[in-house]
Amino acid sequence: MIRYVLRRLALAVLTVWLASLGIFLAVHALPGDVATQILGRDATPQAVAAMRTELGLNEPLWQRYGDWLSGALHGDFGTSLVTHQPVADELTLRLRNTLLIAALAIVLGIVLALVCGVVAGLTRDRWPDMLISTLSLAGMSMPEFVIATLLALAFAVAIPIFPAVVTAGPDATVAELLPALWLPACALSVVMAAYIIRMLRTSVIDTMASEFVATARLRGLAPARVVLRHALPSALLPTVNVVAMNIAWLLGGVVVVESVFNYPGLGVLTVDAVHNRDLPVLQAIALLGAATYALLNLAADVVAMLLNPRLRRRAVA
Amino acid sequence: MTTPLLAVDDLSISFGANGRTHHIVSNVSLRLGAGQTLGIVGESGCGKSTLAGALLGRLPGGTEVNDGRVSVAGHDLFRSSARQLRALRGGTVALVPQNAGHALTPTMRVGRQMREVLTLHRDLSGTAADEEAARLFAQVRMPQPEMLLTRYPHELSGGQQQRVGIALALAGAPRLLVLDEPTTGLDVVTQAGVLDLLATLRAELGLAMILVSHDLGVIASTCDRVAVMYAGRIVETGPTTRLYDAPGHPYTRALLASVPSIAEPGLPADLPGSPPKPGGTVTGCAFAERCPVVQAQCRTGDAPPLRAIDDDTRAACLRAEEVRDLPPERRPVHLRPEYAEQSTLVSLRGVEIRYRSGGPPTVADLDLDIRRGETLALVGESGSGKSTVAWTIAGLRAPSAGTVTFAGTDDLTRLVGARPASLRRRIQTVFQNADTALNPRRLVREAVGRPLRLFRLAGRNDVAARTDALFTDVGLDPSYQHRLPAQLSGGQRQRVGIARALAAEPDLVLADEVVSALDVSVQAAVLRLLDRVRTEHDSTYLFISHDLAVVRSIADRVAVLYLGRLCEIGDVADVFAGPSHPYTRLLLGSVLDPRPPASDMDGHAASRPVEEPESAPPAAGCPFQRRCPHAIEGLCDTATPPWRQTDTTHRIRCHLDLEDLARA
């Protein structure tokens, strides 16, 4: 098992490296010259040339890539073209803020999905299933910003218990951010849960129809035990990868939802960086995204292995 | 009057569809006391499994009990509360499921599943539960019972899984065990071990058992009484030996006649037709359509009642007395024509096949000739490499050493993609599971027509006519060709599989366990079909099977493989006459004949092994040494045994000489 995990880890590292190459090349293939971008259109050619030298733009592409990558490995993502602050510092703060939302959304979403998915699967075609399936379909078909806006209308405007817009800056303390977390997290978890519920429902139905569940029942075991001990681990298996995909999707969803609430996280930073063509920041965010995807897939494989002894232990011949 | 352990009274189970009631089980009554055993036998679709489920208070989805009751130890299962039912299930009546591989929870350790039952029904926990679990595993003769607790189901072999399934059923200390096809899908040798175990358990624990099976031999070896089911009704019931000796219902008689016998040559009689679908409106006797002694009054009125035909036997046939008095079923010996040509079609020399380089070869040192026009049977347990040999001939797996030639010239060590089309056409395969070998989304006509087009055996306009002819040839009405595989029965699908192979007009047909998944009645029909088309089409068969009785009925020659090494080969009559290789004896001893010849009874019991099949051969010497009762230390484990030639066509590879083998 350890060998398998190590092999997957090596694969994940390779994936992230390939992604870094792609990101770097894509950013440098963008039209326009960074030096001109910074100095403005009226800059003298001498100033532009000096800037290019300062930024290291005259070095060959491969060397610049090597410098960037080795910097990134040491936590140095360069300097923001806009704020002239180290990208890493800004990123760390924003990442913390986003992780707060993401963690809350993941916990809420997974709990919601597990409960609803299992209930829907067990009550197939009866009213709890109808209700959950209809709601999850609605959750899937509505874009997250609509859900976010609806939530804001309901719980910030109509019943003002949560703030509609965050006024604190990125360096606010966790306590300051706490009330602002709930609405964005809820918006994200609803969409995330909807997909998982659909998947888990089907999977629970299949597992409950399997021979080993029927046999467990015929041993006289109580229904709760049959569902939780015998059926659920197998039913969760096909769901694990969907959960990982959805968590990865959070990164994209976060951009939109943070914008709606003006929450000082990675999402808003991304939007700003795109707007300002702040390339070092963009590169850093993209690399972070790639690493997250790779890690989540690795995590999903490990969880699948924990759930399925067949993956964990080879048959003893 | 004391309450019987199990009382089924006038039970009817049905499902409603299109506003009508369709009966799956009709008016079934059973009584079983402590320590008694009852076998329930019948073809697929006769309601056996539904009845077995009902004995534990389970019904298939969408069905209901219309009438009657099932009482276990005085509790009416279908009028008990959920809590009462849970206490009865596992605690009083327990199920041994058909396929333990699917019936054990894959994500839980075996020990935990066991402790769960012990805690629930016996209030044991902690070390007491662990000790009891280990005792139960030892009782079902599992090696190293303590180690087993931490194993997952997939880490066990099929036979071990079935033993664990039995141990789990025993864990709640039930008084009645319901066994649903407990050995179907197991190897003959493993099956013999499991049945032997059941007999011991019954004697030790005084358990009552209901054993549901389509295999008359399995029931004969385990049950005192038998109930024959047809179309949801019990049509005959009585003591097993008496019923098998003189069946009173023509259905029982026909079932018995369709079982191939290890004791006599010839193809078994087939039982044409199939049981009516549940819910069809039948007037009179449901078996009338297939009955050889049917008369006008069988087709009118209600189903014939189950009536006593002697003090202990009851049959639901108007002519039961006459049927009983019919002379004992003489096997309509279908003597097979001698194969005329003796030229070699396929020749294997020194063949070795490996799945993993470095590991031990799956097949080694194999010399085998398939003669033109014969049916050569390749026999052995699963893991004996018999399918591997067929795959190599079919070009699905290249041998790692040796030569394989076809018709003296063509090289068969090439994979199928490297063979010319003409050679591919001449070797065709019929697979064990016709349902998975046919594309479920294509009409069966396309499966049969494809080789015709592929090998240009029929012009564009002739394909339809040729397909019609092929369907007729395998005994299917040509109208069936417009169906999907799922719309055919198992036997019909297998016929399509045979038609598909015949379409290519092959010289060699590789038939891999083609009848092992079929009901006995269908099996007999398919065997006769195979034999007929082989003669008519003048082709050659490599017939792979683990069932020696089937082999005896259809093969001209037999080759016995153990762990990929040839042990014995010869004409079918010579091999079955003996002397035999110790492994062949083991296989022969494991065959369950519904009516075993009296003289052989003791011999069968003595040669029954309890251990599990091996997966890899020993480093040196005879491959069978570790299981052989006659192994000679210092010889069998060091030197490869020599071939011993009898004065007939028969060769045995053993260190014992022929006299010793005959005495052994």
Side-chain angles (χ1 to χ4, degrees):
Chain A
M1 173 177 174
I2 290 171
R3 262 184 60 186
Y4 176 80
V5 172
L6 286 179
R7 218 172 53 215
R8 298 307 299 248
L9 191 66
L11 213 60
V13 170
L14 183 72
T15 312
V16 175
W17 174 70
L18 284 175
S20 77
L21 198 62
I23 291 163
F24 185 83
L25 292 178
V27 166
H28 284 81
L30 286 178
D33 179 68
V34 183
T36 319
Q37 180 84 29
I38 297 170
L39 295 174
R41 221 171 286 166
D42 305 331
T44 59
Q46 288 85 357
V48 171
M51 185 53 115
R52 285 184 66 89
T53 315
E54 192 196 320
L55 290 173
L57 291 179
N58 295 328
E59 311 282 330
L61 194 64
W62 290 115
Q63 192 178 335
R64 273 152 56 201
Y65 171 71
D67 290 346
W68 174 69
L69 190 66
S70 73
L73 285 176
H74 294 93
D76 176 13
F77 291 93
T79 310
S80 162
L81 299 183
V82 178
T83 60
H84 303 290
Q85 300 294 316
V87 172
D89 295 354
E90 180 79 7
L91 210 59
T92 316
L93 265 183
R94 298 285 188 144
L95 182 63
R96 181 205 66 179
N97 296 347
T98 291
L99 282 182
L100 282 175
I101 291 194
L104 190 61
I106 290 169
V107 171
L108 286 176
I110 290 183
V111 170
L112 182 72
L114 279 183
V115 173
C116 291
V118 171
V119 168
L122 291 179
T123 59
R124 181 186 189 177
D125 296 340
R126 298 205 300 272
W127 70 264
D129 175 32
M130 302 283 196
L131 185 71
I132 291 169
S133 293
T134 313
L135 287 180
S136 63
L137 273 177
M140 278 163 82
S141 27
M142 262 192 287
E144 56 270 30
F145 61 85
V146 174
I147 294 176
T149 313
L150 288 178
L151 282 174
L153 267 178
F155 298 105
V157 179
I159 319 166
I161 38 177
F162 295 114
V165 176
V166 186
T167 45
D171 49 357
T173 63
V174 175
E176 283 173 316
L177 287 174
L178 208 53
L181 293 179
W182 294 95
L183 288 184
C186 284
L188 288 171
S189 61
V190 164
V191 183
M192 187 177 105
Y195 284 95
I196 304 174
I197 289 171
R198 301 292 302 167
M199 185 72 207
L200 188 57
R201 173 184 178 271
T202 320
S203 169
V204 165
I205 288 173
D206 288 348
T207 314
M208 290 307 287
S210 72
E211 252 181 85
F212 63 84
V213 169
T215 313
R217 279 209 187 112
L218 291 180
R219 282 185 209 135
L221 301 175
R225 179 173 276 270
V226 171
V227 171
L228 294 178
R229 289 283 180 83
H230 290 262
L232 205 52
S234 298
L236 284 179
L237 264 179
T239 321
V240 172
N241 279 303
V242 179
V243 172
M245 292 303 289
N246 272 288
I247 294 177
W249 164 88
L250 270 181
L251 289 178
V254 130
V255 174
V256 179
V257 172
E258 283 184 1
S259 302
V260 172
F261 294 97
N262 193 36
Y263 182 87
L266 270 186
V268 171
L269 183 66
T270 314
V271 175
D272 289 348
V274 170
H275 191 75
N276 299 327
R277 299 194 62 132
D278 195 345
L279 300 184
V281 173
L282 268 185
Q283 279 180 3
I285 291 175
L287 193 62
L288 192 67
T292 315
Y293 260 82
L295 270 180
L296 281 170
N297 276 309
L298 181 67
D301 287 342
V302 172
V303 171
M305 229 174 339
L306 291 178
L307 283 173
N308 188 350
R310 254 174 274 210
L311 293 176
R312 196 158 67 232
R313 296 168 39 160
R314 284 184 168 279
V316 181
Chain B
M1 196 184 105
T2 53
T3 325
L5 179 55
L6 171 74
V8 179
D9 292 308
D10 207 24
L11 181 71
S12 293
I13 298 172
S14 70
F15 65 93
N18 311 324
R20 280 181 34 218
T21 315
H22 303 278
H23 281 271
I24 311 174
V25 170
S26 310
N27 309 100
V28 166
S29 297
L30 293 172
R31 283 275 184 289
L32 200 70
Q36 294 181 331
T37 47
L38 173 72
I40 297 178
V41 73
E43 289 164 283
S44 331
C46 280
K48 305 189 301 283
S49 287
T50 307
L51 179 61
L55 301 181
L56 287 110
R58 177 183 62 172
L59 293 174
T63 63
E64 54 174 0
V65 171
N66 305 78
D67 207 0
R69 38 183 263 143
V70 177
S71 304
V72 171
H75 299 272
D76 185 340
L77 289 187
F78 291 103
R79 287 173 191 82
S80 297
S81 69
R83 179 182 288 272
Q84 276 174 325
L85 192 60
R86 284 207 299 273
L88 286 168
R89 284 175 174 174
T92 308
V93 50
L95 176 78
V96 175
Q98 171 166 6
N99 186 341
H102 293 160
L104 296 172
T105 302
T107 52
M108 280 172 83
R109 290 174 204 271
V110 168
R112 237 182 88 195
Q113 301 190 41
M114 179 65 101
R115 276 197 294 273
E116 206 175 50
V117 181
L118 291 171
T119 309
L120 178 71
H121 291 295
R122 309 252 308 265
D123 218 7
L124 292 173
S125 57
T127 38
D130 280 349
E131 280 166 21
E132 177 64 7
R135 192 190 67 76
L136 283 161
F137 285 136
Q139 191 168 39
V140 295
R141 299 187 206 147
M142 292 289 289
Q144 297 170 295
E146 295 83 10
M147 255 184 63
L148 198 69
L149 297 174
T150 57
R151 289 283 169 84
Y152 284 96
H154 73 276
E155 296 172 319
L156 307 173
S157 72
Q160 289 175 334
Q161 287 173 345
Q162 198 60 43
R163 282 160 204 265
V164 167
I166 295 171
L168 274 169
L170 294 176
R175 294 161 61 196
L176 170 64
L177 218 50
V178 177
L179 302 113
D180 187 5
E181 302 272 8
T183 57
T184 308
L186 297 181
D187 261 318
V188 273
V189 179
T190 316
Q191 161 170 299
V194 169
L195 292 178
D196 189 37
L197 167 68
L198 288 175
T200 316
L201 288 175
R202 177 196 167 200
E204 281 174 7
L205 306 176
L207 279 173
M209 292 188 193
I210 295 231
L211 193 145
V212 176
S213 181
H214 69 276
D215 188 328
L216 293 130
V218 165
I219 292 198
S221 72
T222 15
C223 299
D224 305 330
R225 295 179 64 83
V226 61
V228 182
M229 272 189 96
Y230 188 75
R233 289 175 189 276
I234 291 184
V235 294
E236 184 163 15
T237 173
T240 310
T241 38
R242 203 184 307 174
L243 205 115
Y244 278 16
D245 282 344
H249 198 284
Y251 180 57
T252 316
R253 194 178 162 83
L255 272 186
L256 284 164
S258 66
V259 182
S261 168
I262 194 164
E264 37 186 324
L267 288 161
D270 54 348
L271 168 58
S274 56
K277 294 235 157 46
T281 44
V282 179
T283 329
C285 177
F287 189 61
E289 287 308 312
R290 304 167 77 186
C291 184
V293 294
V294 66
Q295 53 191 15
Q297 70 198 90
C298 295
R299 299 185 196 272
T300 55
D302 289 336
L306 198 59
R307 60 194 175 84
I309 51 174
D310 65 29
D311 55 342
D312 213 11
T313 312
R314 292 185 301 153
C317 179
L318 299 175
R319 308 179 66 182
E321 286 82 0
E322 293 169 61
V323 173
R324 273 185 88 157
D325 292 338
L326 287 175
E329 181 76 40
R330 262 188 308 130
R331 185 163 299 273
V333 179
H334 171 80
L335 280 181
R336 314 184 53 258
E338 295 275 312
Y339 54 99
E341 262 184 282
Q342 289 289 337
S343 66
T344 301
L345 185 64
V346 178
S347 175
L348 292 88
R349 284 291 171 272
V351 166
E352 179 192 276
I353 309 165
R354 286 173 191 271
Y355 278 86
R356 242 182 294 167
S357 58
T362 305
V363 172
D365 188 22
L366 180 67
D367 293 341
L368 192 66
D369 286 332
I370 306 174
R371 296 177 194 152
R372 203 179 283 275
E374 76 171 344
T375 298
L376 173 67
L378 211 50
V379 176
E381 291 162 278
S382 52
S384 61
K386 43 192 202 305
S387 292
T388 308
V389 173
W391 291 342
T392 294
I393 295 172
L396 298 173
R397 177 161 288 279
S400 44
T403 59
V404 187
T405 46
F406 185 79
T409 50
D410 284 305
D411 179 13
L412 286 189
T413 57
R414 286 174 293 177
L415 288 181
V416 69
R419 296 179 182 179
S422 60
L423 182 57
R424 289 206 304 265
R425 177 187 68 71
R426 296 171 74 185
I427 302 177
Q428 292 294 318
T429 308
V430 184
F431 295 94
Q432 171 172 7
N433 286 316
D435 41 344
T436 48
L438 292 170
N439 188 331
R441 299 187 199 291
R442 296 211 170 217
L443 300 180
V444 293
R445 179 188 61 191
E446 297 175 59
V448 176
R450 180 125 186 85
L452 296 175
R453 271 183 269 263
L454 187 66
F455 299 120
R456 299 178 211 284
L457 294 167
R460 186 179 297 269
N461 304 318
D462 307 333
V463 170
R466 279 288 297 139
T467 311
D468 278 359
L470 282 163
F471 271 82
T472 316
D473 213 12
V474 296
L476 285 176
D477 190 276
S479 67
Y480 278 70
Q481 58 182 295
H482 304 289
R483 297 196 181 186
L484 292 170
Q487 295 167 322
L488 298 174
S489 71
Q492 288 167 341
R493 277 197 291 264
Q494 197 55 281
R495 284 170 194 268
V496 172
I498 295 168
R500 192 205 58 78
L502 291 180
E505 296 168 23
D507 293 327
L508 176 66
V509 175
L510 307 169
D512 190 354
E513 297 275 13
V514 287
V515 294
S516 55
L518 303 175
D519 266 325
V520 273
S521 56
V522 184
Q523 167 179 297
V526 171
L527 285 176
R528 296 187 88 130
L529 166 70
L530 280 173
D531 196 51
R532 178 172 61 78
V533 294
R534 184 189 60 95
T535 323
E536 285 173 7
H537 292 256
D538 193 26
S539 47
T540 305
Y541 281 11
L542 181 65
F543 188 90
I544 293 168
S545 179
H546 66 273
D547 187 333
L548 284 174
V550 165
V551 164
R552 166 134 225 201
S553 70
I554 194 168
D556 298 305
R557 286 199 308 143
V558 186
V560 183
L561 275 184
Y562 185 73
L563 295 177
R565 279 74 171 164
L566 198 59
C567 308
E568 180 167 354
I569 186 166
D571 282 358
V572 73
D574 298 332
V575 168
F576 280 83
S580 303
H581 189 280
Y583 178 56
T584 315
R585 285 180 68 90
L586 175 62
L587 288 178
L588 285 168
S590 306
V591 173
L592 300 167
D593 207 316
R595 284 170 296 182
S599 59
D600 276 58
M601 283 291 269
D602 302 334
H604 282 198
S607 60
R608 244 177 225 171
V610 288
E611 78 273 47
E612 289 290 317
E614 304 176 277
S615 54
C622 171
F624 190 59
Q625 53 177 281
R626 289 184 295 223
R627 291 170 76 186
C628 183
H630 312 293
I632 305 161
E633 214 172 317
L635 180 63
C636 295
D637 52 356
T638 51
T640 308
W643 280 107
R644 313 251 179 215
Q645 174 88 46
T646 67
D647 46 4
T648 57
T649 59
H650 186 185
R651 287 186 301 147
I652 300 170
R653 195 170 206 182
C654 188
H655 281 298
L656 296 182
D657 61 28
L658 292 169
E659 287 94 75
D660 286 340
L661 279 173
R663 272 199 303 272

